[in-house]
Amino acid sequence: MKILFVFLASLICQIAWAKTYIRADAYVEVKSGKTIGNAIIVVEDGRIESTKGNLNDAGPDDEVIDLAGKTLMPGLFDMHVHLIGNKLLKGAARVQESDQLALLAGVENARKLLMAGVTTVRSLGSSSYGDIALRDGIRAGYVIGPRVFASGPALGITGGHCDNNWMPRERDIRNAGVANGPWEVAAKVRENIKFGSDVIKFCATGGVMSKGTKVGVQQYTLEEMQTLVSEAHRRGLIVAAHAHGTSGIKDAIRAGVDSVEHASYIDDEGIQLAVENGTYLSMDIYVTEYILGQGIADGIPEENIAKERTVGKIQRSNFTKAVEAGVKMVMGTDAGVYPGFADSPKQLSRMVKFGMTPAQALQAATINAATLLKKQDEMGSLEEGKLADIIAVAGNPLEDISLLEDVTFVMKEGRVYKR
Ligand code: ARG
């Protein structure tokens, strides 16, 4: 009996995980917004075992990764992406893409995000449940990509921003998330949950990239939004509202959404409501540069370009106001509207340009996002016990935020993807 016990105990010791020691010049402690010098982070079984490691403790089976000259920080979170589809297809051309081909394009989009240092994304709307399949495929190890929190099809009114208005009536094309009236909306939330959604996305107002919608005009009524949010929250899902227009933003916040996406025409009352309700804003202030630059050459229809010309400017000045008022913020870029998914971290420097400190921008892209997802105990900072999502840049990102545009090392859950 005793011999058996000793044997089992020694077996357990032997199959203990080999550890990885990552040595770097410093790491960013995102909560305090400070760097801690001479970092040695110890990773075991996909998690951070210690942030105060000692290389003398490394055993013969352990790995030491030497990142001299680099600063470590938690992997980035992009809280607004559209993973599925070939994003070079614009307007009506998108309708011709099969769900299967769109998913294969999504595999490549996901890989690019991960390689750019984005280890967690929230997928807010795909024309099919492809984003749910991609999430599961990444989890299963079939393909590589960030950890995905996926919405599946976004809910919206008939003819609204979350519908598909590119084809004439006889083609009978509508988006899978179309639902009108409180009970249809509740049923659609239930359907999305049935097919695996982690989060509910809906369109509260018109948008820039859709046909025939006005950004300022509210689409769902307050009553529809209240039903949607209570149904989702009762089932434990968070809710993201696409809202550019002033009244739609405020009704979405009153209805209790967890985040408002875009928030372009938010007014002082909306800012106040967001502060009072603890609502996160996810303002995609980088994408304007793509739409009004390369987007024109890429064939974005004039109708959409014209809308962007007014929205972009106002969104940026309202971003500054919201930051000054102390609204909670996450980084959401709308990757997918711009096809180069690796550009996601470019938004960080724009967030600093329009009013955040570098520390605030990093918090928006890490711990704030983890908190929005209700996963702040699992991810979003380099702390003992959390998942080992670790990236590195050359130099101190608190001094030069644009360093995040060149992430040289990517680890997700303890596995190295880029080095
Ligand atoms: N998906 C959004 C929409 O179509 C993109 C908005 C882009 N413009 C901006 N200024 N953020 O409405």
Side-chain angles (χ1 to χ4, degrees):
M1 185 64 198
K2 196 175 157 194
I3 289 180
L4 185 69
F5 177 78
V6 171
F7 173 72
L8 281 177
S10 73
L11 198 68
I12 288 166
C13 288
Q14 274 171 30
I15 61 168
W17 296 86
K19 297 180 188 181
T20 306
Y21 288 70
I22 311 172
R23 188 231 306 254
D25 282 12
Y27 79 90
V28 181
E29 192 184 64
V30 286
K31 287 182 180 171
S32 67
K34 296 204 169 78
T35 53
I36 309 287
N38 301 316
I40 296 177
I41 298 202
V42 188
V43 174
E44 184 180 24
D45 190 17
R47 288 183 186 266
I48 297 169
E49 191 220 56
S50 169
T51 54
K52 301 181 190 68
N54 183 336
L55 287 181
N56 294 327
D57 297 338
D61 293 335
D62 297 335
E63 188 190 2
V64 177
I65 298 178
D66 197 344
L67 300 177
K70 307 275 194 291
T71 303
L72 306 175
M73 61 165 282
L76 300 172
F77 291 59
D78 190 336
M79 289 292 95
H80 191 135
V81 305
H82 298 278
L83 288 172
I84 303 302
N86 170 359
K87 301 305 183 184
L88 285 169
L89 302 174
K90 307 290 182 192
R94 253 187 210 183
V95 180
Q96 296 170 346
E97 193 184 39
S98 71
D99 287 350
Q100 291 78 4
L101 197 57
L103 177 54
L104 291 175
V107 168
E108 181 56 10
N109 300 338
R111 193 191 64 80
K112 284 187 184 151
L113 278 161
L114 181 65
M115 291 305 160
V118 179
T119 53
T120 306
V121 298
R122 195 169 55 149
S123 160
L124 292 186
S126 82
S127 55
S128 65
Y129 287 98
D131 59 342
I132 309 257
L134 186 52
R135 172 197 70 196
D136 294 345
I138 291 168
R139 239 185 234 165
Y142 303 157
V143 294
I144 67 166
R147 182 179 304 104
V148 179
F149 291 85
S151 72
L155 278 70
I157 66 163
T158 298
H161 179 69
C162 282
D163 196 357
N164 183 327
N165 312 324
W166 294 101
M167 302 305 261
R169 171 70 187 89
E170 59 275 22
R171 298 283 176 258
D172 200 21
I173 292 198
R174 59 150 85 186
N175 266 354
V178 170
N180 298 285
W183 286 112
E184 251 184 62
V185 162
K188 192 58 85 175
V189 169
R190 292 168 186 168
E191 192 175 309
N192 274 0
I193 295 173
K194 169 174 172 170
F195 294 115
S197 299
D198 304 298
V199 40
I200 300 297
K201 155 87 183 283
F202 75 90
C203 284
T205 73
V208 173
M209 300 301 283
S210 52
K211 183 173 188 293
T213 74
K214 293 198 170 71
V215 285
V217 175
Q218 185 165 341
Q219 296 188 337
Y220 272 137
T221 63
L222 176 61
E223 190 188 4
E224 287 169 313
M225 295 193 233
Q226 284 166 330
T227 307
L228 185 157
V229 172
S230 69
E231 189 64 32
H233 281 174
R234 203 156 44 73
R235 303 284 298 273
L237 279 73
I238 59 166
V239 179
H242 157 108
H244 288 284
T246 314
S247 72
I249 292 168
K250 291 193 278 195
D251 274 357
I253 297 173
R254 290 182 187 114
V257 301
D258 300 276
S259 69
V260 173
E261 308 301 307
H262 315 300
S264 309
Y265 288 84
I266 194 165
D267 64 3
D268 291 344
E269 188 190 15
I271 287 174
Q272 201 47 42
L273 278 170
V275 170
E276 283 162 16
N277 288 273
T279 315
Y280 285 86
L281 299 186
S282 161
M283 299 177 76
D284 50 340
I285 57 172
Y286 161 69
V287 70
T288 302
E289 291 172 44
Y290 166 75
I291 297 174
L292 298 182
Q294 184 60 29
I296 296 176
D298 283 353
I300 295 181
E302 178 50 34
E303 173 187 349
N304 309 106
I305 299 288
K307 288 195 258 188
E308 184 58 46
R309 284 201 185 99
T310 42
V311 170
K313 265 187 242 131
I314 290 162
Q315 186 186 33
R316 286 163 176 209
S317 67
N318 284 334
F319 174 86
T320 306
K321 279 192 197 165
V323 171
E324 279 166 4
V327 182
K328 293 200 242 172
M329 295 275 193
V330 292
M331 180 175 85
T333 71
D334 221 347
V337 169
Y338 59 91
F341 283 78
D343 291 343
S344 165
K346 282 190 180 172
Q347 187 168 294
L348 288 163
S349 60
R350 279 62 173 183
M351 290 161 84
V352 171
K353 181 174 171 193
F354 290 101
M356 283 185 172
T357 63
Q360 283 177 313
L362 293 186
Q363 285 159 353
T366 57
I367 190 65
N368 294 7
T371 309
L372 166 61
L373 295 168
K374 304 192 193 299
K375 300 287 178 194
Q376 69 277 12
D377 296 333
E378 284 281 292
M379 42 186 101
S381 57
L382 301 183
E383 288 180 274
E384 278 171 26
K386 286 194 171 181
L387 294 172
D389 296 345
I390 304 173
I391 61 173
V393 294
N396 184 350
L398 292 171
E399 280 160 17
D400 178 2
I401 192 76
S402 72
L403 290 171
L404 266 308
E405 292 166 26
D406 188 12
V407 169
T408 59
F409 172 86
V410 178
M411 170 184 272
K412 190 187 94 183
E413 270 177 55
R415 186 174 153 195
V416 177
Y417 291 90
K418 182 176 186 179
R419 197 164 170 174

Tab-separated table of all heavy atoms in Angstrom, residues 2-27:
chain	number	residue	atom	x	y	z
A	2	LYS	N	1.838	1.242	0.947
A	2	LYS	CA	2.696	2.421	1.053
A	2	LYS	C	3.537	2.590	-0.228
A	2	LYS	O	3.697	3.689	-0.751
A	2	LYS	CB	3.613	2.244	2.271
A	2	LYS	CG	4.260	3.539	2.702
A	2	LYS	CD	5.053	3.330	3.977
A	2	LYS	CE	6.129	4.396	4.101
A	2	LYS	NZ	7.103	4.037	5.130
A	3	ILE	N	4.005	1.471	-0.742
A	3	ILE	CA	4.825	1.512	-1.958
A	3	ILE	C	4.014	2.073	-3.128
A	3	ILE	O	4.492	2.905	-3.893
A	3	ILE	CB	5.361	0.099	-2.276
A	3	ILE	CG1	6.421	-0.253	-1.219
A	3	ILE	CG2	5.955	0.023	-3.678
A	3	ILE	CD1	7.046	-1.596	-1.366
A	4	LEU	N	2.764	1.617	-3.186
A	4	LEU	CA	1.895	2.091	-4.257
A	4	LEU	C	1.726	3.615	-4.175
A	4	LEU	O	1.795	4.326	-5.167
A	4	LEU	CB	0.526	1.403	-4.162
A	4	LEU	CG	-0.428	1.738	-5.296
A	4	LEU	CD1	0.067	1.116	-6.600
A	4	LEU	CD2	-1.831	1.226	-4.987
A	5	PHE	N	1.576	4.089	-2.941
A	5	PHE	CA	1.368	5.520	-2.733
A	5	PHE	C	2.602	6.317	-3.188
A	5	PHE	O	2.490	7.303	-3.910
A	5	PHE	CB	1.069	5.790	-1.253
A	5	PHE	CG	0.906	7.251	-0.956
A	5	PHE	CD1	-0.285	7.897	-1.286
A	5	PHE	CD2	1.935	7.981	-0.379
A	5	PHE	CE1	-0.423	9.251	-1.028
A	5	PHE	CE2	1.798	9.329	-0.138
A	5	PHE	CZ	0.608	9.974	-0.452
A	6	VAL	N	3.763	5.832	-2.775
A	6	VAL	CA	5.007	6.530	-3.151
A	6	VAL	C	5.145	6.528	-4.677
A	6	VAL	O	5.488	7.536	-5.293
A	6	VAL	CB	6.232	5.840	-2.490
A	6	VAL	CG1	7.535	6.400	-3.050
A	6	VAL	CG2	6.173	6.028	-0.976
A	7	PHE	N	4.800	5.409	-5.283
A	7	PHE	CA	4.899	5.294	-6.738
A	7	PHE	C	3.982	6.320	-7.424
A	7	PHE	O	4.391	7.071	-8.305
A	7	PHE	CB	4.523	3.866	-7.160
A	7	PHE	CG	4.423	3.699	-8.649
A	7	PHE	CD1	5.569	3.700	-9.440
A	7	PHE	CD2	3.186	3.545	-9.266
A	7	PHE	CE1	5.473	3.553	-10.813
A	7	PHE	CE2	3.087	3.406	-10.638
A	7	PHE	CZ	4.235	3.409	-11.412
A	8	LEU	N	2.732	6.374	-6.944
A	8	LEU	CA	1.775	7.314	-7.545
A	8	LEU	C	2.223	8.759	-7.355
A	8	LEU	O	2.147	9.568	-8.269
A	8	LEU	CB	0.381	7.125	-6.921
A	8	LEU	CG	-0.414	5.934	-7.449
A	8	LEU	CD1	-1.730	5.811	-6.707
A	8	LEU	CD2	-0.651	6.060	-8.943
A	9	ALA	N	2.717	9.042	-6.146
A	9	ALA	CA	3.149	10.409	-5.861
A	9	ALA	C	4.299	10.803	-6.783
A	9	ALA	O	4.331	11.908	-7.321
A	9	ALA	CB	3.560	10.523	-4.399
A	10	SER	N	5.230	9.889	-6.999
A	10	SER	CA	6.370	10.248	-7.849
A	10	SER	C	5.924	10.400	-9.299
A	10	SER	O	6.411	11.247	-10.035
A	10	SER	CB	7.499	9.224	-7.727
A	10	SER	OG	7.130	8.036	-8.391
A	11	LEU	N	4.915	9.603	-9.677
A	11	LEU	CA	4.384	9.722	-11.039
A	11	LEU	C	3.757	11.099	-11.234
A	11	LEU	O	3.989	11.785	-12.233
A	11	LEU	CB	3.320	8.636	-11.254
A	11	LEU	CG	2.976	8.334	-12.697
A	11	LEU	CD1	4.172	7.685	-13.393
A	11	LEU	CD2	1.772	7.405	-12.779
A	12	ILE	N	2.995	11.523	-10.210
A	12	ILE	CA	2.334	12.832	-10.306
A	12	ILE	C	3.372	13.940	-10.410
A	12	ILE	O	3.233	14.855	-11.201
A	12	ILE	CB	1.389	13.051	-9.100
A	12	ILE	CG1	0.162	12.150	-9.264
A	12	ILE	CG2	0.956	14.504	-8.987
A	12	ILE	CD1	-0.688	11.995	-8.030
A	13	CYS	N	4.449	13.812	-9.634
A	13	CYS	CA	5.507	14.823	-9.702
A	13	CYS	C	6.095	14.883	-11.104
A	13	CYS	O	6.348	15.945	-11.646
A	13	CYS	CB	6.634	14.526	-8.718
A	13	CYS	SG	6.124	14.834	-7.029
A	14	GLN	N	6.286	13.705	-11.695
A	14	GLN	CA	6.924	13.684	-13.012
A	14	GLN	C	6.045	14.291	-14.098
A	14	GLN	O	6.543	14.890	-15.030
A	14	GLN	CB	7.268	12.247	-13.393
A	14	GLN	CG	8.629	11.843	-12.832
A	14	GLN	CD	8.882	10.370	-13.017
A	14	GLN	OE1	8.387	9.793	-13.981
A	14	GLN	NE2	9.634	9.788	-12.119
A	15	ILE	N	4.720	14.081	-13.967
A	15	ILE	CA	3.883	14.640	-15.022
A	15	ILE	C	3.486	16.092	-14.740
A	15	ILE	O	2.725	16.675	-15.460
A	15	ILE	CB	2.619	13.784	-15.316
A	15	ILE	CG1	1.739	13.675	-14.080
A	15	ILE	CG2	2.994	12.443	-15.873
A	15	ILE	CD1	0.370	13.098	-14.382
A	16	ALA	N	4.058	16.680	-13.657
A	16	ALA	CA	3.827	18.110	-13.432
A	16	ALA	C	4.328	18.846	-14.675
A	16	ALA	O	5.308	18.425	-15.293
A	16	ALA	CB	4.591	18.569	-12.202
A	17	TRP	N	3.651	19.927	-15.031
A	17	TRP	CA	3.961	20.632	-16.272
A	17	TRP	C	5.341	21.255	-16.225
A	17	TRP	O	5.724	21.820	-15.215
A	17	TRP	CB	2.930	21.731	-16.510
A	17	TRP	CG	1.576	21.170	-16.719
A	17	TRP	CD1	0.662	20.837	-15.763
A	17	TRP	CD2	0.985	20.844	-17.962
A	17	TRP	NE1	-0.457	20.331	-16.341
A	17	TRP	CE2	-0.300	20.320	-17.692
A	17	TRP	CE3	1.408	20.944	-19.292
A	17	TRP	CZ2	-1.156	19.900	-18.690
A	17	TRP	CZ3	0.553	20.528	-20.281
A	17	TRP	CH2	-0.712	20.014	-19.985
A	18	ALA	N	6.047	21.182	-17.359
A	18	ALA	CA	7.272	21.956	-17.477
A	18	ALA	C	6.874	23.424	-17.467
A	18	ALA	O	5.798	23.782	-17.940
A	18	ALA	CB	7.983	21.606	-18.780
A	19	LYS	N	7.723	24.250	-16.908
A	19	LYS	CA	7.393	25.676	-16.804
A	19	LYS	C	8.127	26.465	-17.883
A	19	LYS	O	9.158	26.022	-18.397
A	19	LYS	CB	7.802	26.199	-15.428
A	19	LYS	CG	7.040	25.524	-14.300
A	19	LYS	CD	7.464	26.076	-12.949
A	19	LYS	CE	6.827	25.239	-11.850
A	19	LYS	NZ	7.182	25.720	-10.518
A	20	THR	N	7.587	27.618	-18.178
A	20	THR	CA	8.266	28.544	-19.084
A	20	THR	C	8.598	29.807	-18.301
A	20	THR	O	7.716	30.377	-17.651
A	20	THR	CB	7.359	28.907	-20.277
A	20	THR	OG1	6.915	27.701	-20.896
A	20	THR	CG2	8.109	29.751	-21.292
A	21	TYR	N	9.848	30.198	-18.358
A	21	TYR	CA	10.282	31.440	-17.711
A	21	TYR	C	10.494	32.473	-18.814
A	21	TYR	O	11.317	32.253	-19.702
A	21	TYR	CB	11.604	31.230	-16.959
A	21	TYR	CG	11.459	30.395	-15.700
A	21	TYR	CD1	11.188	29.030	-15.761
A	21	TYR	CD2	11.601	30.986	-14.440
A	21	TYR	CE1	11.057	28.264	-14.605
A	21	TYR	CE2	11.470	30.242	-13.276
A	21	TYR	CZ	11.192	28.884	-13.366
A	21	TYR	OH	11.061	28.145	-12.215
A	22	ILE	N	9.773	33.570	-18.739
A	22	ILE	CA	9.969	34.626	-19.738
A	22	ILE	C	10.689	35.782	-19.064
A	22	ILE	O	10.172	36.382	-18.121
A	22	ILE	CB	8.625	35.133	-20.316
A	22	ILE	CG1	7.747	33.948	-20.761
A	22	ILE	CG2	8.880	36.074	-21.501
A	22	ILE	CD1	6.346	34.373	-21.150
A	23	ARG	N	11.876	36.052	-19.587
A	23	ARG	CA	12.657	37.141	-19.003
A	23	ARG	C	12.615	38.335	-19.969
A	23	ARG	O	12.832	38.185	-21.180
A	23	ARG	CB	14.115	36.678	-18.809
A	23	ARG	CG	14.948	37.690	-18.039
A	23	ARG	CD	16.246	38.055	-18.697
A	23	ARG	NE	17.083	36.910	-19.032
A	23	ARG	CZ	18.179	36.584	-18.351
A	23	ARG	NH1	18.533	37.238	-17.273
A	23	ARG	NH2	18.928	35.589	-18.776
A	24	ALA	N	12.312	39.521	-19.456
A	24	ALA	CA	12.280	40.730	-20.291
A	24	ALA	C	12.729	41.920	-19.462
A	24	ALA	O	12.886	41.803	-18.242
A	24	ALA	CB	10.872	40.961	-20.814
A	25	ASP	N	12.914	43.079	-20.112
A	25	ASP	CA	13.358	44.272	-19.384
A	25	ASP	C	12.340	44.699	-18.337
A	25	ASP	O	12.703	45.214	-17.278
A	25	ASP	CB	13.577	45.442	-20.358
A	25	ASP	CG	14.895	45.299	-21.105
A	25	ASP	OD1	15.493	44.204	-21.027
A	25	ASP	OD2	15.312	46.268	-21.763
A	26	ALA	N	11.056	44.526	-18.695
A	26	ALA	CA	10.002	44.999	-17.790
A	26	ALA	C	8.686	44.368	-18.203
A	26	ALA	O	8.598	43.756	-19.270
A	26	ALA	CB	9.893	46.525	-17.876
A	27	TYR	N	7.677	44.525	-17.350
A	27	TYR	CA	6.318	44.200	-17.788
A	27	TYR	C	5.374	45.319	-17.369
A	27	TYR	O	5.674	46.062	-16.438
A	27	TYR	CB	5.863	42.833	-17.272
A	27	TYR	CG	5.401	42.745	-15.828
A	27	TYR	CD1	4.061	42.944	-15.484
A	27	TYR	CD2	6.303	42.435	-14.814
A	27	TYR	CE1	3.644	42.846	-14.154
A	27	TYR	CE2	5.894	42.337	-13.489
A	27	TYR	CZ	4.563	42.536	-13.164
A	27	TYR	OH	4.157	42.445	-11.866
